[in-house]
Amino acid sequence: MAGRISDDDIALVRERSPIADIVGEHIQLRNAGGGNLKGLCPFHDEKSPSFNVTPARGYWYCFGCGEGGDVITFVRRLEHLSFAEAVEQLANRAGIQLRYEQGGYVPGREQGERSRLIEAHRAAAEFYASRLTAPEAAAGRRFLSERGFERADAERFGVGYAPAEWEALTRHLMARGFTAAELVKGGLAKEGRRGPIDRFRGRLIWPIRDITGDVIGFGARKLNDAEDGPKYLNTPESPLYKKSEVLYGVDLAKREISRRSQAVIVEGYTDVMACHLSGVPTAVATCGTAFGAEHIKVLRRLLLDQSGSHGEVIFTFDGDAAGQKAALRAFADEQKFVTQTFVAVQPDGLDPCDLRTGRGEAAVRELIASREPLFAFAIRSVISRYDVTTNEGRLSALDAAAPIVAGIKDRALRQLYAVDLDRWLGFNNERFVMDRIAEISVSADRQQQRPQRPAGPRKVADLTDPGVRTEAEVLKLAVQRPALLGPGFDAIGAEAFTLPEHAALHRLITGAGGAAAAGPGGREWVDRLLAGAPDDLRGTVTRFAVEELRVGVEIEERYASAMLAALELISVSREIERLKSRMERTNPVEEQQEYNRLFGELVAMEQQRRVLRERAAGS
């Protein structure tokens, strides 16, 4: 039974895990002003960035889906971990040895499952790499050499060799304290007749890493084609390895993908190696599965793929029929990207690895530079199936290509490709081609315009209402800059806030000592609020801790005073309307004393409103 991680160690993990660095390993962040960073949310699909990070306070919040928290929460949500597992992962990254209460620290025994499996995979990668130099691995070294890879290249990518033995890796890892159950669960071993046996034997091995650089699985190629089994064998699905989300080489390519706004999709491990060694460091590959929606999400976050962006996603495929089929599969997902998508195909069918071996590294760079738009490639691929020298063939090709053109969401681009299709088919009759496509595109437009039931993201407060916006600004100041509000904020009652979540946050702040006792605020103040917040209020606290203030630092004090006055002004105005309503229902003759009392209160309130108006105008 795992012990409880020391509170001091949890605090140390937070301190030594800069949130901008951790989040920045998964999504591209750009300066959003006011000390904030912004990127595409990894927890829901979006076309414009609404995911905000505030490094100074160590929190993140998405204004699109309402999720938020600190660095530990981010890792938990992204990796689907328990709290302890997320802390352990961050501790490993920061080089912190955790202490556990209820029995103390026992190395290798009281860690979470994911941490144990990560350690086992790291040890396995080291084992495989060390065996590549053994005499028995000669076939593996020859395989690499024939493809132009030197020893230094193998070391750079961690390539190794799995001995042709039943239990070589299993014995090695169990001697280091890992259990048979852990090895089987992680996909490193499988059950044999007399216990666990190695999953990979007599194969060349590539470690597959996640975006942070942790080894989570392996790809293995057999070296003797006469042997049974598939040419390539991958780690099975495990708590670490989800093939639909994994991109080989993403740990090496992520920074260049973000810097260049370019991602190159190749088909194999050696192709990734060839591209990186040839000066195309943005290359990645899928692992035992077709390129799909989850892979797109990973790349969109790295590319900061949004409206107005100028990024590129380039697919490389063999020039044969299988390669064309793969390109058409990619076309089905093309419009999930905002950036432009291209295809780079070598006419003679050489993949990047063979191209580098036969014609040099410059040829690989030229292949990528010769890319053509994926739409054009998909349309041309369909046309190539027909004999366009005959009327019948041209008409059949038109009908086959029309759905592709009709499926282009951008109407202007759809029209341009309709013109291209007419030219490629040789009709010389754009009107005829466009009318043929229109029959399909009208149906497509109706489908796109059909109202969709909103799902998933949680709505946040409507800040278009001036009163609600004022409430939000005051609460934002109380969370971020409480000293600017001081006792004036504490004196306002929760009834001054119209939204229930705003009133609840005011009660939380005053219950935590109030703005007057919060000092300069900062991370400690936010942590105190979160510690006392119920689950349904934690997101609101985080949102106000992250959202940018609508004013520059140089006039924050005056702005805070004006916002506080504006909030009081709204409250006083509501009270004035209430008094006027009561006076209208009071008979000044029969209820003279009550009427005069209400009139006196009204005069005082009107005077207070004038003062507040002057203070509020100071913003």
Side-chain angles (χ1 to χ4, degrees), residues 526-540:
V526 177
D527 287 347
R528 194 193 315 173
L529 294 177
L530 285 171
D535 290 343
D536 59 354
L537 193 58
R538 292 176 64 85
T540 304

Side-chain angles (χ1 to χ4, degrees), residues 278-333:
S278 299
V280 184
T282 57
V284 294
T286 59
C287 302
T289 186
F291 187 82
E294 295 304 314
H295 300 121
I296 290 173
K297 290 179 182 179
V298 173
L299 292 180
R300 287 197 69 227
R301 294 195 298 267
L302 292 176
L303 289 163
L304 194 58
D305 183 37
Q306 59 175 309
S307 300
S309 62
H310 303 287
E312 296 181 344
V313 177
I314 304 170
F315 295 91
T316 65
F317 299 107
D318 293 343
D320 57 15
Q324 291 188 4
K325 186 176 180 181
L328 293 176
R329 280 200 309 269
F331 171 78
D333 284 326

Side-chain angles (χ1 to χ4, degrees), residues 216-263:
I216 57 174
F218 296 94
R221 190 196 193 282
K222 69 179 180 181
L223 298 169
N224 184 352
D225 291 338
E227 292 181 359
D228 292 336
K231 179 183 290 187
Y232 281 96
L233 186 64
N234 287 79
T235 293
E237 293 281 309
S238 76
L240 298 182
Y241 187 82
K242 311 294 182 187
K243 65 181 180 181
S244 64
E245 304 173 5
V246 174
L247 288 169
Y248 174 72
V250 71
D251 58 309
L252 300 175
K254 62 183 180 182
R255 297 197 184 282
E256 286 300 314
I257 288 174
S258 295
R259 190 176 72 83
R260 302 186 184 200
S261 293
Q262 179 198 75

Side-chain angles (χ1 to χ4, degrees), residues 33-47:
N36 280 11
L37 303 171
K38 182 176 286 189
L40 290 175
C41 180
F43 305 123
H44 80 286
D45 288 330
E46 59 180 6
K47 291 189 176 180

Side-chain angles (χ1 to χ4, degrees), residues 61 65 89 166 221 260 375 442 445 459 514 596 601 614:
Y61 186 84
C65 66
Q89 180 176 324
W166 290 103
R221 190 196 193 282
R260 302 186 184 200
F375 283 130
V442 167
D445 282 346
K459 290 185 177 180
N596 289 340
E601 287 185 20
E614 292 176 1

Side-chain angles (χ1 to χ4, degrees), residues 461 468 471 475 494-508 534 536-537 540 543-544:
V468 173
E471 292 178 21
L475 288 169
E495 62 276 5
F497 298 89
T498 56
L499 287 184
E501 65 183 69
H502 288 178
L505 180 53
H506 180 272
R507 287 192 292 269
L508 175 68
D536 59 354
L537 193 58
T540 304
R543 172 159 62 95
F544 285 135

Side-chain angles (χ1 to χ4, degrees), residues 248-401:
Y248 174 72
V250 71
D251 58 309
L252 300 175
K254 62 183 180 182
R255 297 197 184 282
E256 286 300 314
I257 288 174
S258 295
R259 190 176 72 83
R260 302 186 184 200
S261 293
Q262 179 198 75
V264 176
I265 316 300
V266 298
E267 292 193 317
Y269 308 123
T270 56
D271 292 330
V272 171
M273 294 174 67
C275 284
H276 281 250
L277 295 171
S278 299
V280 184
T282 57
V284 294
T286 59
C287 302
T289 186
F291 187 82
E294 295 304 314
H295 300 121
I296 290 173
K297 290 179 182 179
V298 173
L299 292 180
R300 287 197 69 227
R301 294 195 298 267
L302 292 176
L303 289 163
L304 194 58
D305 183 37
Q306 59 175 309
S307 300
S309 62
H310 303 287
E312 296 181 344
V313 177
I314 304 170
F315 295 91
T316 65
F317 299 107
D318 293 343
D320 57 15
Q324 291 188 4
K325 186 176 180 181
L328 293 176
R329 280 200 309 269
F331 171 78
D333 284 326
E334 191 276 345
Q335 292 176 99
K336 292 181 180 178
F337 286 107
V338 178
T339 56
Q340 290 181 286
T341 49
F342 298 85
V343 174
V345 177
Q346 185 66 20
D348 53 17
L350 294 178
D351 59 32
C353 181
D354 292 337
L355 193 60
R356 175 177 177 267
T357 303
R359 302 180 191 173
E361 295 177 351
V364 177
R365 296 192 294 273
E366 289 170 7
L367 168 65
I368 304 305
S370 68
R371 65 201 182 281
E372 69 170 315
L374 182 54
F375 283 130
F377 181 83
I379 295 169
R380 287 178 181 274
S381 296
V382 169
I383 292 174
S384 67
R385 304 172 189 166
Y386 300 90
D387 180 6
V388 295
T389 63
T390 67
N391 289 332
E392 292 80 3
R394 283 199 297 273
L395 190 58
S396 295
L398 172 59
D399 288 346

